[in-house]
Amino acid sequence: MNKPDGRLRVDDHARDAAGLTYVYPVVSRRAGGVSVGINLNPNNACNWRCVYCQVPELHRGGPPPIDLVQLEAELDGLLADIVRGDFMRERVPEGARRLNDVAFSGNGESTMSAEFPVAVELVGRVLERFGLVGRVKLVLITNGSQLYKPAVQAAVSAMAALGGEVWFKLDRAPQDGFSAVNQVQLKASSVRQHLAAAVARCPTWLQTCMFAVDGALPDEGALQAYLDYLSALLRDGITPHGVLLYGLARPSMQAEAPRLSAAPVEWMQALAARIEAIGLPVKLSP
């Protein structure tokens, strides 16, 4: 929970921090400031179930219908408090009092929502009202699974026009079969196609979470497969902006939580160096 005085913390991304349904503020260690989250999955449903996920009572499924009028009113009100009110002084620690981004994140996969494309237009409209287009980023944090859909691809293109970014989940080298990390069946060719679709339409960062399971870090075979996959992307002209490499900052709320532990900082730094050596910038948040 957030502190009793209402201040936000980097280790607590509670979706009810502002008492709203679709919109929530967090202090993001990766963003380096305040991120305003858009939660299109208030029912805690997702088509994946990543073992490190911090969403409580996560279950399989898609989001409910979204009340777009309420979403716009909530975003408008929170941004007014952040930009024109006392929110930063009263709720945000010193050193983090800057609005960095508005992010489609929340409690499941945003692009599963039928309203996602309209929601992108809505957020763009609100950012325009506050003069924030080009001043703050619009981010989509996604597992990429819906990027085969023309409507989602068009929405991602619209995000690019608003100065947006896609953060595409790629925790391990995609292989045909079951992913133990993401708890979903994957097809390597589909992941590649979805990633290519994102990269072609909007600045895209790969988002990779590394951690130990039962005290064991990913072995050299898994790391080399991941690095080889990145190298193959670059060789074939699929060029992400870089890799957001991060570890466990907040506890998992999934059944596997007791088995997970953070990777040592030195290990993460060494992996970051290996990624950079193949030509991709890394933003490291151990």
Side-chain angles (χ1 to χ4, degrees):
M1 298 293 293
N2 285 303
K3 291 182 179 180
D5 65 4
R7 287 189 176 269
L8 303 176
R9 302 191 327 231
V10 296
D11 61 348
D12 180 9
H13 285 195
R15 306 302 194 241
D16 60 353
L20 305 172
T21 300
Y22 300 116
V23 179
Y24 61 97
V26 298
V27 175
S28 170
R29 65 192 178 118
R30 282 183 285 169
V34 174
S35 176
V36 172
I38 307 292
N39 184 13
L40 299 184
N41 306 75
N43 60 344
N44 294 7
C46 189
N47 62 333
W48 288 22
R49 192 189 69 79
C50 302
V51 296
Y52 55 80
C53 183
Q54 296 97 20
V55 174
E57 300 177 4
L58 182 71
H59 60 277
R60 302 279 187 177
I66 303 302
D67 185 334
L68 293 167
V69 173
Q70 181 180 347
L71 170 58
E72 184 165 2
E74 289 184 0
L75 182 59
D76 195 277
L78 182 57
L79 285 180
D81 196 16
I82 290 173
V83 174
R84 302 168 183 161
D86 295 329
F87 181 90
M88 291 293 194
R89 179 176 58 82
E90 294 180 351
R91 301 287 305 277
V92 181
E94 289 188 39
R97 291 174 181 169
R98 56 182 291 271
L99 177 60
N100 185 78
D101 61 67
V102 175
F104 284 98
S105 179
N107 291 4
E109 175 54 39
S110 298
T111 62
M112 289 284 288
S113 171
E115 289 88 1
F116 172 68
V118 181
V120 170
E121 296 179 11
L122 180 159
V123 172
R125 188 164 63 243
V126 174
L127 292 177
E128 184 69 36
R129 276 205 295 273
F130 284 91
L132 294 174
V133 174
R135 294 176 53 199
V136 302
K137 291 185 292 187
L138 177 58
V139 177
L140 168 63
I141 302 174
T142 179
N143 61 32
S145 62
Q146 306 302 300
L147 270 156
Y148 67 93
K149 296 179 177 178
V152 174
Q153 293 176 358
V156 167
S157 294
M159 287 185 57
L162 294 166
E165 291 182 354
V166 173
W167 293 4
F168 192 109
K169 186 184 298 294
L170 190 80
D171 290 320
R172 304 293 182 270
Q175 299 180 18
D176 291 342
F178 184 72
S179 167
V181 171
N182 306 124
Q183 295 286 295
V184 68
Q185 289 291 137
L186 290 178
K187 191 172 181 180
S189 60
S190 295
V191 175
R192 183 183 176 90
Q193 289 166 5
H194 299 167
L195 178 56
V199 168
R201 289 167 174 82
C202 189
T204 298
W205 288 80
L206 303 178
Q207 182 177 246
T208 297
C209 185
M210 288 289 180
F211 50 89
V213 180
D214 298 328
L217 292 162
D219 62 23
E220 180 57 27
L223 295 181
Q224 192 58 56
Y226 173 81
L227 294 168
D228 289 345
Y229 184 82
L230 299 187
S231 296
L233 292 176
L234 299 181
R235 184 183 63 239
D236 295 341
I238 303 172
T239 311
H241 271 42
V243 177
L244 305 173
L245 179 62
Y246 68 108
L248 299 180
R250 306 184 306 280
S252 167
M253 299 297 288
Q254 309 313 307
E256 295 84 356
R259 301 175 58 200
L260 310 183
S261 57
V265 173
E266 296 80 7
W267 188 92
M268 294 287 281
Q269 290 171 335
L271 177 57
R274 293 177 70 177
I275 296 169
E276 290 173 337
I278 64 176
L280 281 173
V282 176
K283 295 182 180 179
L284 177 60
S285 301

